[in-house]
Amino acid sequence: MTAPEPAAPPRRGRGRPGHDQAAVLRTAVALFNRRGYDATSIGDLAAELGVTKSAIYHHFASKEDLLRLALDDALDELTAVVSAAVSDADGASARDRLREVLRRSVEVLAAHQPAVTLLLRVRGNTPTEVEAVKRRRWLDDQLAGLVRDAAAEGALRDDISPDLVSRLLFGMVNSLVEWYRPEGAHDAATVADAIASIAFDGLVRR
Amino acid sequence: MTAPEPAAPPRRGRGRPGHDQAAVLRTAVALFNRRGYDATSIGDLAAELGVTKSAIYHHFASKEDLLRLALDDALDELTAVVSAAVSDADGASARDRLREVLRRSVEVLAAHQPAVTLLLRVRGNTPTEVEAVKRRRWLDDQLAGLVRDAAAEGALRDDISPDLVSRLLFGMVNSLVEWYRPEGAHDAATVADAIASIAFDGLVRR
């Protein structure tokens, strides 16, 4: 995977914050995505950056610390988007909130592609991975609930299980990590509109 | 990833064919998916199977040989499905052939889930991976062409780029490797129908 967008700067970690720390995290995420987290060592990361291992440990306590910061970056963004969608504070219909969460999820994936790529590949051995998988499952459950609410409103066809609809819609969104390129032919807003159009109205010309 | 379905038996490799050879390949694919191809050694595979390394080399020339057999298994199936769809030998419309290739792709993913999972994660360092990426790209190009043909027939809405439609539809199909479980609530035929219904007609109740 390429890493076309910088990850957000870390919000925790040892030592003074600044460019160095963000650059280390960004490179770590790119390496984890390219080689796998388990197969990447702090030594590999130091070699890639052309610095000593102790220069990395100045900023980060451990490899797992780097993983946690990257996964939290993706999860915090996605959690904010999903929490807003499942709250009906503004009185919007579940159908409109579902359309909005599809659109905003695409924006998060496009803006945080390396961190979300890492998140989607996590399988869960370390405590950090177990926690991330738990947070992902919470997101999936909330989204499935929102699809159920939209179906219960009578807005959606009822011949496909809401759980399956949720899997497929967010499968379409998540596929962005595999093929979306910020410098490519389609910007995030165009992709978001395409997903919402296909999902709600389908491809057939009417 | 779990490996709920056995990969198809290998069609090449050294030594006599039979149960042992298929079991070695199946276990290799599961390990590659769990740990990553680069991070898995023939020693790891031997330990997982409880046999010696030379027992593995009796059947397979190298680790890359195992990778090639697994990727060919997935690619041969997908190539057959896509080739049938892009040939209009039976005079079916591009729209009907697109619907059919969606359906049959789901069947291949469900029946060959471990091998397709491996294929979708290939990044391309070894000659085997480079070749697999090339074959995947051919499949993607054929599918994008089929979507273009269906749009040109006037059957599909023309406000979304056919390339983007193709990415999103097969993003939805490919997401199965992440969440589909043969023992789960939805069988492959149900999933295939759901994808075709969402893709063509959308979720909105009419």
Side-chain angles (χ1 to χ4, degrees), chain A residues 5 12 35 90 93 108 120 127 155 158 162 179 199:
Chain A
E5 282 285 318
R12 275 168 290 184
R35 298 189 192 176
D90 60 357
S93 67
V108 170
L120 293 177
D158 56 8
W179 57 263

Side-chain angles (χ1 to χ4, degrees), chain A residues 121 123 157 199 203-205, chain B residues 121 123 154 157 199-200 203:
Chain A
R121 293 190 188 160
R123 290 294 171 260
R157 61 195 297 161
L203 289 170
V204 169
R205 182 194 289 265
Chain B
R121 292 191 188 158
R123 290 293 171 262
R157 58 193 301 160
F200 284 87
L203 289 170

Side-chain angles (χ1 to χ4, degrees), chain A residues 33-168:
Chain A
N33 282 333
R34 200 159 76 225
R35 298 189 192 176
Y37 173 71
D38 290 340
T40 304
S41 69
I42 291 287
D44 295 332
L45 178 57
E48 181 85 6
L49 287 161
V51 301
T52 62
K53 290 206 281 184
S54 63
I56 293 169
Y57 286 122
H58 176 71
H59 291 305
F60 301 97
S62 63
K63 186 173 85 159
E64 194 173 341
D65 199 31
L66 285 156
L67 179 68
R68 183 176 48 74
L69 285 163
L71 295 178
D72 279 352
D73 172 44
L75 283 162
D76 290 350
E77 295 286 337
L78 291 169
T79 301
V81 164
V82 170
S83 297
V86 297
S87 138
D88 55 359
D90 60 357
S93 67
R95 173 186 162 168
D96 287 348
R97 286 180 283 126
L98 178 60
R99 188 181 269 268
E100 178 69 6
V101 76
L102 283 171
R103 195 182 63 72
R104 291 194 56 199
S105 299
V106 169
E107 287 168 2
V108 170
L109 262 70
H112 300 261
Q113 192 171 5
V116 177
T117 302
L118 191 60
L119 175 65
L120 293 177
R121 293 190 188 160
V122 152
R123 290 294 171 260
N125 297 311
T126 62
T128 295
E129 288 166 281
V130 171
E131 177 63 22
V133 168
K134 209 168 105 186
R135 290 186 67 187
R136 269 195 69 180
R137 195 163 299 140
W138 183 86
L139 293 170
D140 288 343
D141 289 346
Q142 298 299 310
L143 292 167
L146 185 56
V147 173
R148 273 195 298 277
D149 289 350
E153 280 174 2
L156 303 188
R157 61 195 297 161
D158 56 8
D159 60 338
I160 310 176
S161 138
D163 282 352
L164 186 51
V165 167
S166 177
R167 289 283 194 196
L168 292 172

Side-chain angles (χ1 to χ4, degrees), chain B residues 35-201:
Chain B
R35 298 189 191 174
Y37 174 70
D38 290 339
T40 305
S41 68
I42 291 286
D44 295 333
L45 178 58
E48 181 84 7
L49 287 161
V51 302
T52 61
K53 290 206 282 184
S54 63
I56 293 170
Y57 285 121
H58 176 70
H59 291 304
F60 302 96
S62 64
K63 187 173 83 160
E64 195 173 340
D65 198 33
L66 286 156
L67 179 68
R68 184 178 48 74
L69 286 164
L71 295 178
D72 280 351
D73 171 45
L75 282 162
D76 291 350
E77 294 285 338
L78 291 169
T79 301
V81 164
V82 169
S83 298
V86 297
S87 135
D88 55 0
D90 59 356
S93 65
R95 172 187 163 166
D96 287 348
R97 287 180 281 126
L98 178 60
R99 188 182 270 268
E100 178 69 5
V101 76
L102 282 172
R103 196 182 63 71
R104 291 194 56 199
S105 299
V106 168
E107 286 168 3
V108 170
L109 263 71
H112 300 260
Q113 192 170 6
V116 178
T117 301
L118 190 60
L119 175 66
L120 293 178
R121 292 191 188 158
V122 151
R123 290 293 171 262
N125 297 309
T126 62
T128 295
E129 288 167 280
V130 171
E131 176 63 22
V133 167
K134 209 168 104 187
R135 291 187 66 185
R136 267 195 71 181
R137 195 163 300 138
W138 182 87
L139 294 169
D140 288 344
D141 289 346
Q142 299 300 310
L143 292 168
L146 185 57
V147 173
R148 272 195 299 277
D149 289 349
E153 279 175 3
L156 302 187
R157 58 193 301 160
D158 55 9
D159 60 338
I160 311 175
S161 138
D163 282 352
L164 187 51
V165 167
S166 177
R167 289 284 194 195
L168 292 172
L169 293 189
F170 290 91
M172 188 154 57
V173 171
N174 291 344
S175 78
L176 262 78
V177 302
E178 300 297 335
W179 58 263
Y180 181 75
R181 297 290 171 268
E183 73 283 7
H186 312 291
D187 64 17
T190 303
V191 174
D193 285 346
I195 289 177
S197 294
I198 294 173
F200 284 87
D201 304 319

